[in-house]
Amino acid sequence: MIKRELYMNRIRPFIGTDLIKVMTGMRRCGKSVMLDLIKEELAESGVSSTQFVSINFEEIRYAHLQTAKALHDEIIKRAAKIQGKVYLFFDEIQEVADWEKCVNSLRVSLDCDVYLTGSNAKLLSGELATYLAGRYVEFVIYPFSFSEFLELYRPIAPDQSVQKAFQKYLLVGGMPYLANIRYEDAPSQQYLLDLFNSVQLKDIVKRNNIRDVDLLERVVSYVIANVGTTFSANSLSKFLKQERRAVAPETILNYLKYCADAYLFYQVKREDLQGKQILASNEKYYVADHGIREAVFGGNTRDINLILENVVFLELLRRGYKVNVGKTRDKEIDFVGEKEGEKLYLQVAYLLASDETIEREFGAFDSVRDNYPKYVVSLDEFDMSRNGVKHRNIRDFLLAEEWN
């Protein structure tokens, strides 16, 4: 179990407070481990484990607690036997009907510290969430970064260089469980395929009562194949029409929203950097874990440009950036990251192998007149920084604690 300090540093200030701590993210991305890390930290600070109440609602033995009333009554009963503050850990809380009512009531009636996990981005945006408005903090948990992956991969393959380890990461991705099967190719692929099917069935099809599963699968396959490429529902609608599947663009957009709610995809909007406005069409989508793409679709090595983009995009999210695609007149900047009023501009390339590529990647920033940092990241080993634009090797960039 690695410490995942990136997240613990954010969660730590809220431990012991009356705000509800909510960890969301894709199924199996390590949310349950975050609960274990928090318990570990509480135990080290002197809290007795007898004060912990932990329930994972995906376990069949807790099926009888999947209503607000049943869960509330059970917790009140257990809390009566506990001396001092009660620490509640609820895993996959979305399985409990009207869970917000229960949690809010417990918050009011008990001296408790509450930690929740859930696999749906809409966990806190429904009508019921008004019960908790202003009373929670949310942390999105992502699959392993390259740095976290290295921490677990190095003991398994101590003789491999960072370059080789990165090649492995580009194929298997960052789902935490893979370390348990030592990142072996066939078992890793099988696990990721099963995980993908589980997300598709439980978190997308069942949750949204999708009847036309075949259509959903086609939409998902299309997006997975085309991660990071400009996308419009109209063009996909036309593509499906050629395959004799008539479907309205609105249906496609709904399906994509369900996928984003399940953290399978992330939508990135385009921002007009001159007009300072978000453009309404042609977003891009990235997949939550590029290892899943390799298992489901294959071709990560062939589509290396797109995969490197996917990796950098998720690293920006991990580090707390809000991300858009930048549009300037006739050029596009891969990512514009914004955090705490600061900005960062990023171009991602495989290799700067020709003058034309160098001109295109560095030239993307020509009409951006501010003084925020501008980066081109690629797999090149030599520093090609120029005209105030910094060039970094992508591995070094991902492993750097600070970007400056």
Side-chain angles (χ1 to χ4, degrees), residues 171 224-226 293-294 297-307 350:
L171 288 176
I224 281 183
N226 294 283
R293 183 189 190 269
E294 175 66 23
F297 178 74
N300 278 13
T301 310
R302 184 188 63 236
D303 302 326
I304 186 76
N305 260 352
L306 302 179
I307 301 309
Y350 171 39

Side-chain angles (χ1 to χ4, degrees), residues 5 20 40 49 80 100 122-123 125 132 140 145 200 206 284 300 322 334 358 396:
E5 271 301 307
I20 296 155
E40 209 174 81
S49 61
E100 295 96 331
K122 291 292 166 272
L123 197 67
S125 61
L132 303 180
V140 181
S145 64
Q200 193 164 256
K206 282 188 177 173
K284 291 186 175 185
N300 278 13
K322 179 179 172 291
D334 288 335
I358 293 168
D396 297 342

Side-chain angles (χ1 to χ4, degrees), residues 85 144 158 177 196 204 236 243 274 302 304 357 369:
K85 191 189 275 279
F144 283 162
Y177 186 79
F196 168 75
I204 302 171
L236 179 48
E243 295 203 337
Q274 261 81 37
R302 184 188 63 236
I304 186 76
T357 308
R369 298 285 176 229

